[in-house]
């Protein structure tokens, strides 16, 4: 059976990509063969599609760290033909043929059951970025934050992770302060639920300070680097910041004072290798108590022909909200 896949190839020091016809026999061994109907666009996809060997080691390659579709066949009795399923994380789209192909074959241990209350298309409006936002909120809740304890800062708020974090925190009753380098998106962020918009320089002014005025009970950081360094001294006692991105850098400098004098916590968020049961739990919450009415508002759906331009925009930090790829749309 032939299918279309977005194939990235190396040519010297450059990469090229195009939709090409592939065969099911080209796919790696695995337990579950899936007809992929939707995927999404994340920063890691943009890195893989650009030939970044920190993400993908061998080319030619089909990126796409997310996939939602229907089981075609399974050697594992847990999954039946016709069942709707979701895959995100693990090695999908990194070094295993990913969700930018209309077929994937993966281990059963990677596959999630689509819960009632969530459609395949909605699951890919969330995608890895959205689920990373949800995991960030979950970690903050476990650290003891609550809506009555003060505002929560979200960095990179117009982006994939940030936009979902803003919407989810607002839904849960938090006062959300959205950090954005895109002033033209202020009204858009307010519509998602942000109570206040701040610019980068306002927060970065605290970088290098051992302690600063405590402004936020918590923060969801999506960019890394100096931003994390600047947030730490601005957290209230027993506050916490999650970090999940690196677009602003991979190094964090901080004094021990906020940790030992205010008891704050720095929490890492991994959406790739967490246990499948935890991924399923987050997916189930997205279908129920965390279901977002604003999901459609923040999501742009594209067909195959729009993928290259969106990947380029996301790689440059110009993406806004979530991007869902319809594999069956030209």
């Amino acid at each position: 059976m032939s299918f279309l896949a977005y194939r990235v190839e190396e040519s010297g020091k450059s990469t090229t990509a195009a939709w090409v016809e592939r065969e099911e026999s080209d796919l790696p061994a695995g337990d579950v063969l899936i007809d992929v109907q939707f995927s999404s666009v994340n920063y890691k996809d943009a890195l893989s599609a650009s030939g970044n060997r920190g993400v993908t080691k061998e080319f030619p390659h089909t990126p796409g760290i997310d996939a939602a579709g229907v089981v075609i066949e399974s050697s594992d009795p847990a999954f039946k033909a016709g069942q709707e399923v979701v895959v995100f994380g693990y090695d999908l789209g990194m070094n295993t043929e990913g969700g930018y192909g209309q077929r994937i074959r993966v281990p059963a241990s990677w596959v999630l059951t689509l819960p009632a209350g969530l459609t395949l298309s909605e699951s890919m409006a969330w995608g890895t970025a959205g689920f990373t936002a949800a995991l960030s909120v979950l970690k903050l809740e476990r650290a003891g934050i609550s809506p009555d304890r003060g505002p929560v800062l979200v960095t990179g708020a117009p982006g994939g992770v940030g936009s979902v974090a803003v919407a989810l925190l607002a839904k849960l009753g938090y006062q959300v302060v959205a950090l954005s380098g895109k002033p033209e998106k202020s009204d858009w962020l307010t519509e998602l639920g942000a109570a206040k918009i701040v610019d980068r320089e306002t927060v970065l002014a605290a970088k290098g300070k051992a302690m600063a005025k405590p402004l936020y009970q918590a923060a969801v950081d999506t960019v890394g680097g100096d931003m994390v360094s600047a947030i730490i001294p601005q957290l209230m006692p027993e506050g916490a910041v999650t970090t999940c991105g690196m677009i602003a850098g991979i190094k964090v400098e901080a004094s021990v004072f906020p940790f030992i004098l205010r008891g704050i916590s720095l929490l890492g968020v991994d959406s790739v290798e967490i246990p499948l049961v935890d991924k399923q739990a987050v997916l189930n919450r997205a279908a129920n108590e965390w279901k977002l009415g604003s999901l459609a508002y923040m999501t742009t759906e594209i067909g195959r022909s729009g993928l290259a331009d969106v990947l380029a925009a996301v790689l440059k930090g110009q993406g806004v909200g979530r991007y869902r790829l319809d594999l069956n749309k030209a």
Side-chain angles (χ1 to χ4, degrees):
M1 175 72 179
S2 62
F3 62 92
L4 293 174
Y6 190 71
R7 201 73 173 153
V8 180
E9 300 195 23
E10 288 185 319
S11 178
K13 293 185 178 181
S14 63
T15 59
T16 59
W19 289 95
V20 301
E21 198 167 275
R22 304 268 285 160
E23 299 294 329
E24 287 180 3
S25 58
D26 296 328
L27 294 172
D31 306 311
V32 187
L33 178 65
I34 299 169
D35 171 18
V36 180
Q37 298 183 12
F38 298 96
S39 185
S40 75
V41 181
N42 305 279
Y43 184 61
K44 190 175 287 185
D45 298 315
L47 288 173
S48 177
S50 69
N52 187 300
R53 286 187 172 270
V55 176
T56 300
K57 295 179 174 58
E58 294 185 8
F59 296 87
H61 176 65
T62 301
I65 62 173
D66 296 328
V70 179
V71 174
I72 298 172
E73 60 184 32
S74 173
S75 61
D76 189 303
F79 300 100
K80 306 294 183 184
Q83 186 173 352
E84 293 183 324
V85 294
V86 175
V87 183
F88 73 94
Y90 303 116
D91 195 46
L92 185 73
M94 295 173 63
N95 298 291
T96 300
E97 302 295 287
Y100 294 168
Q102 293 174 324
R103 298 285 188 277
I104 58 172
R105 186 183 287 116
V106 295
S109 60
W110 293 6
V111 183
L112 300 164
T113 300
L114 184 76
L118 198 67
T119 66
L120 290 173
S121 62
E122 286 173 335
S123 74
M124 289 297 97
W126 283 83
T128 286
F131 292 126
T132 301
L135 287 165
S136 299
V137 173
L138 185 62
K139 282 221 169 183
L140 289 178
E141 286 186 341
R142 289 173 176 171
I145 73 161
S146 60
D148 60 348
R149 287 185 53 197
V152 177
L153 178 71
V154 177
T155 70
V161 179
S163 58
V164 178
V166 168
L168 180 55
L169 285 164
K171 176 183 175 67
L172 297 176
Y174 290 91
Q175 180 187 357
V176 182
V177 178
L179 186 151
S180 172
K182 299 181 173 74
E184 71 279 8
K185 292 300 175 184
S186 294
D187 290 345
W188 186 81
L189 289 167
T190 300
E191 189 70 23
L192 288 183
K196 181 180 179 181
I197 314 295
V198 296
D199 61 30
R200 293 190 188 109
E201 297 310 312
T202 298
V203 176
L204 285 172
K207 180 183 176 291
K209 295 183 178 180
M211 299 280 275
K213 183 178 180 179
L215 299 175
Y216 311 106
Q217 71 152 320
V220 173
D221 173 69
T222 71
V223 300
D226 288 347
M227 189 60 69
V228 181
S229 301
I231 290 169
I232 287 171
Q234 299 182 71
L235 292 174
M236 297 174 179
E238 300 304 316
V241 53
T242 64
T243 186
C244 63
M246 60 178 188
I247 195 170
I250 61 172
K251 293 184 178 180
V252 175
E253 296 181 6
S255 165
V256 298
F257 286 161
F259 297 96
I260 63 176
L261 299 180
R262 290 182 182 164
I264 68 104
S265 299
L266 175 60
L267 308 171
V269 176
D270 166 40
S271 61
V272 178
E273 295 293 342
I274 65 170
L276 192 71
V277 64
D278 292 339
K279 289 187 178 184
Q280 187 71 59
V282 171
L283 189 64
N284 292 346
R285 292 185 80 169
N288 294 285
E289 67 266 33
W290 283 2
K291 194 172 181 69
L292 294 177
S294 56
L295 196 60
Y297 175 75
M298 73 176 81
T299 302
T300 300
E301 184 168 284
I302 59 172
R304 298 187 303 273
S305 62
L307 180 59
D309 287 344
V310 170
L311 284 167
V314 170
L315 188 64
K316 294 176 184 176
Q318 298 172 351
V320 176
R322 299 292 299 120
Y323 295 95
R324 177 176 59 225
L325 171 64
D326 185 339
L327 273 293
N328 295 314
K329 182 187 295 184

